[in-house]
């Protein structure tokens, strides 16, 4: 899961004070400007069906319904799986709080698993996060309207093909740029990072060109090794 930075509440250009949203859907444009057109959970690239997501559901926290710091972006599948259950924030990892890249591993076929290097308590928390939005849904748990697993599998294959091409090309600099452009079109940032983990020329573009990636989560002087964002991850 891409660690992201929502940033401070956008300013109203007329008053130069924090924007006050009348409805939460008004924040959609600002969120896309900050985070790109990607689901904050599954990282799918989406246009029309990308919804303003309330981290803490408005049903249980009406005071947070219009609160910038409670917003993320979510696809229909992540949104509906998460539903409106009340959330214990501390029991999960969040893309805008933690270095969520460290919580999960993206493995062959684009499957999302708990990172094996975590402590027992961290593993439990990562597992709850996967279950919260249904990132473990696979063909074993079929759901015809849920294309996330299928899409990840396809993007994994595309990334692998382009890894081979990159290794065989003499013009690595330009091909790395083309790969980053391709990744932006498809989404699933974590898959591209996993596949190109040994190619800093691609990683650099993935970190800087996907809007809203929290770059301090990665050590650019040390092969983009992940860095914890909190005392936990
Ligand atoms: Zn999603």
């Amino acid at each position: 899961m891409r660690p992201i930075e929502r940033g401070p509440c956008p300013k109203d250009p007329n008053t130069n004070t924090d924007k006050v949203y009348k409805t939460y859907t008004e924040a959609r444009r600002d969120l896309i400007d900050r985070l790109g057109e990607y689901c904050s959970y599954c990282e799918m690239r989406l246009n029309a069906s990308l919804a303003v997501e309330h981290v803490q559901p408005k049903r249980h926290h009406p005071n947070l319904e219009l609160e910038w710091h409670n917003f993320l972006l979510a696809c229909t599948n992540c949104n509906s799986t998460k539903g409106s259950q009340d959330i214990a924030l501390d029991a999960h990892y969040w893309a805008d709080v933690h270095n969520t890249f460290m919580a999960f591993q993206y493995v062959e076929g684009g499957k999302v698993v708990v990172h094996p290097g975590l402590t027992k308590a961290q593993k439990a928390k990562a597992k709850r996060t996967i279950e919260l939005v249904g990132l473990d849904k696979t063909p074993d748990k079929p759901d015809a309207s849920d294309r996330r697993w299928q899409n990840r599998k396809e993007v994994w294959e595309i990334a692998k093909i382009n890894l081979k091409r990159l290794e065989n090309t003499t013009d690595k600099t330009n091909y790395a740029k083309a790969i980053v452009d391709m990744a932006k079109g498809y989404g699933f940032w974590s898959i591209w990072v996993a596949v190109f983990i040994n190619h800093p020329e691609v990683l650099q573009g993935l970190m800087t060109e996907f809007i809203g990636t929290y770059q301090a989560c990665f050590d650019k002087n040390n092969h983009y090794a992940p860095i914890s964002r909190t005392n936990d991850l």
Side-chain angles (χ1 to χ4, degrees):
M1 196 179 283
R2 180 172 72 119
I4 51 178
E5 188 177 25
R6 188 196 295 102
C9 183
K11 300 281 183 199
D12 184 317
N14 298 319
T15 60
N16 203 31
T17 55
D18 284 1
K19 268 191 189 175
V20 178
Y21 298 106
K22 289 187 197 72
T23 63
Y24 64 85
T25 50
E26 279 180 10
R28 189 172 179 275
R29 186 71 257 165
D30 289 331
L31 286 162
I32 290 173
D33 286 347
R34 295 281 178 87
L35 305 174
E37 280 181 299
Y38 307 99
C39 174
S40 303
Y41 300 113
C42 73
E43 311 178 309
M44 199 182 327
R45 166 91 195 257
L46 285 160
N47 300 319
S49 57
L50 198 58
V52 174
E53 143 77 2
H54 293 89
V55 175
Q56 303 216 68
K58 52 190 183 303
R59 183 201 285 183
H60 298 282
H61 303 270
N63 57 318
L64 298 177
E65 179 174 351
L66 304 173
E67 171 58 46
W68 173 252
H69 292 98
N70 192 41
F71 294 152
L72 288 174
L73 289 166
C75 72
T76 317
N77 294 127
C78 289
N79 207 342
S80 67
T81 309
K82 183 166 171 276
S84 57
Q85 58 184 304
D86 201 9
I87 304 287
L89 283 182
D90 289 352
H92 303 87
Y93 289 118
W94 302 100
D96 59 321
V97 177
H98 302 96
N99 184 347
T100 35
F101 183 76
M102 299 171 83
F104 313 108
Q105 238 183 10
Y106 291 71
V107 296
E108 198 59 40
K111 282 193 180 177
V112 187
V113 297
V114 169
H115 199 290
L118 300 179
T119 65
K120 200 175 165 196
Q122 289 173 326
K123 281 181 181 166
K125 203 163 161 177
K127 186 165 183 285
R128 276 194 296 272
T129 310
I130 286 178
E131 287 166 355
L132 180 72
V133 289
L135 291 182
D136 57 344
K137 283 186 183 164
T138 66
D140 317 330
K141 301 177 187 174
D143 181 344
S145 68
D146 191 342
R147 299 281 302 161
R148 292 175 295 177
W149 177 81
Q150 189 64 33
N151 291 342
R152 274 203 304 274
K153 184 168 178 280
E154 284 167 18
V155 169
W156 181 272
E157 295 307 323
I158 291 165
K160 289 295 281 282
I161 290 166
N162 282 284
L163 173 64
K164 278 209 184 79
R165 289 182 184 151
L166 178 71
E167 286 167 348
N168 291 328
T169 184
T170 49
D171 188 0
K172 291 208 187 330
T173 307
N174 271 321
Y175 201 69
K177 284 182 185 155
I179 288 170
V180 172
D181 286 342
M182 205 183 310
K184 284 163 71 181
Y186 283 108
F188 297 112
W189 179 89
S190 294
I191 288 180
W192 296 90
V193 174
V195 169
F196 290 94
I197 197 73
N198 295 319
H199 289 272
E201 68 278 27
V202 178
L203 293 182
Q204 194 247 339
L206 293 171
M207 302 293 163
T208 56
E209 303 230 355
F210 271 72
I211 306 165
T213 305
Y214 190 57
Q215 295 186 37
C217 280
F218 300 91
D219 185 352
K220 65 179 178 200
N221 297 315
N222 180 27
H223 308 286
Y224 295 93
I227 301 168
S228 295
R229 196 171 176 181
T230 68
N231 291 333
D232 189 343
L233 284 189

